[in-house]
Amino acid sequence: MKKQNSMCLIFVFIMAILGAILGAGFASGKEIQTFFTNYGVIAYALVVIALGMFAWTFYLFARIGKIVKPHSIADITKATLGKISFAVDIVLVLSMFVTLSAMLSATDGLAQTLFSEYSFPWASIIMALLVVLILSGGKKSMFDTNNIVMPMVAIILLVVLICFFAFAPKENVMIEWVQSGARQCKGLLFAFLYVGLNTISESFIVARASEKMDKNQAFKASVCCSCLIAVLIVLISTALLKSGDYIYESSLPLLKLAFMSSNG
């Protein structure tokens, strides 16, 4: 019974984090392209670095949450950053607005791809209303929704990628494979930026999802979640680099890749 409860806590933790990370940018492939595959051959090394950073920061915020018991993200920034927390809170609010705008825009972009006569932004309006409805139900509503939706999203992503690798024609992307020192440093900076933007904005979710965990459970959950994210990034990166320039340079590369796989 105790082991079953532990697995349940770890599952809820992983689904909560995936719910925050697997947004429109990730699922469309554009986010992976920007932060990883644009750097060619070092993309996989950057994923390994990101994996370690994700695991460490997830575990760190899980332990901080256990001590602080936050009611908002401001409680975490105040406990960890002290006097400069106010400035960080402002940056986080602005970044969340930018992220929300980007996700809603990507939702409309997806609708435009699927429906040729799409003009009124009903898709983003429906998505925004669903988000408000879920959040109005509190923490339980959010976690319950994640536990249902995120396994489905992960399975769909895996099915699309497997179909591409199994059936679709492959064509290497023509990008700059020769790496200069400056380009490697930029790639490393973007990997740190990717992890930082995701984990800081999700620190409250990590803290609340791990509030019933002990140290061992938090460590296992952090490592498992980081490995799952890394596997998805590697698979998406490999597919993008084998998809050809037309798909790679599109605004929604993974969606076009899915269409190609279904017609392949």
Side-chain angles (χ1 to χ4, degrees):
M1 186 67 181
K2 186 176 179 181
K3 184 177 180 181
Q4 185 178 5
N5 184 53
S6 176
M7 293 298 292
C8 182
L9 290 173
I10 291 173
F11 176 79
V12 170
F13 179 90
I14 292 173
M15 291 304 107
I17 294 177
L18 289 183
I21 290 182
L22 267 63
F26 191 103
S28 69
K30 201 65 180 178
E31 191 174 292
I32 307 304
Q33 180 194 85
T34 301
F35 288 96
F36 296 99
T37 57
N38 277 348
Y39 300 96
V41 71
I42 68 168
Y44 299 108
L46 296 177
V47 175
V48 174
I49 293 170
L51 187 157
M53 291 171 60
F54 268 131
W56 181 74
T57 51
F58 288 157
Y59 179 73
L60 177 66
F61 283 122
R63 299 310 301 158
I64 290 173
K66 193 78 172 178
I67 298 170
V68 175
K69 301 186 185 306
H71 295 287
S72 71
I73 194 170
D75 293 336
I76 295 178
T77 56
K78 186 176 181 180
T80 55
L81 300 173
K83 293 181 180 180
I84 66 169
S85 62
F86 178 72
V88 175
D89 289 339
I90 294 174
V91 173
L92 284 175
V93 170
L94 291 174
S95 67
M96 287 176 183
F97 273 114
V98 171
T99 301
L100 178 61
S101 299
M103 288 186 174
L104 293 177
S105 177
T107 302
D108 283 326
L110 177 60
Q112 285 177 340
T113 303
L114 296 173
F115 308 105
S116 58
E117 297 183 0
Y118 181 86
S119 56
F120 186 77
W122 55 264
S124 59
I125 292 174
I126 292 174
M127 182 63 68
L129 290 174
L130 283 173
V131 170
V132 171
L133 181 63
I134 292 168
L135 292 179
S136 66
K139 183 185 74 170
K140 186 178 186 303
S141 174
M142 183 182 70
F143 286 167
D144 287 347
T145 302
N146 273 328
N147 293 344
I148 296 171
V149 173
M150 294 323 301
M152 294 171 59
V153 172
I155 290 170
I156 290 171
L157 275 174
L158 289 173
V159 168
V160 168
L161 293 168
I162 290 170
C163 289
F164 170 76
F165 290 127
F167 306 114
K170 314 297 187 298
E171 179 185 347
N172 288 332
V173 172
M174 300 299 293
I175 60 176
E176 185 181 346
W177 291 99
V178 178
Q179 301 294 315
S180 63
R183 188 173 170 81
Q184 291 176 351
C185 290
K186 184 180 178 182
L188 186 61
L189 175 63
F190 266 57
F192 276 92
L193 186 62
Y194 179 75
V195 175
L197 288 173
N198 277 290
T199 53
I200 292 175
S201 61
E202 294 157 19
S203 57
F204 177 66
I205 294 174
V206 173
R208 293 305 297 267
S210 59
E211 60 188 4
K212 295 181 180 179
M213 290 182 174
D214 57 30
K215 291 177 65 174
N216 186 45
Q217 291 168 337
F219 177 76
K220 288 179 180 178
S222 299
V223 171
C224 289
C225 188
S226 302
C227 288
L228 182 55
I229 293 169
V231 167
L232 288 173
I233 293 175
V234 167
L235 290 174
I236 293 173
S237 297
T238 303
L240 292 178
L241 292 172
K242 294 288 184 180
S243 64
D245 291 336
Y246 172 72
I247 290 178
Y248 186 81
E249 294 172 1
S250 66
S251 58
L252 299 169
L254 206 57
L255 181 63
K256 287 191 178 296
L257 186 145
F259 286 147
M260 185 180 74
S261 301
S262 62
N263 297 326

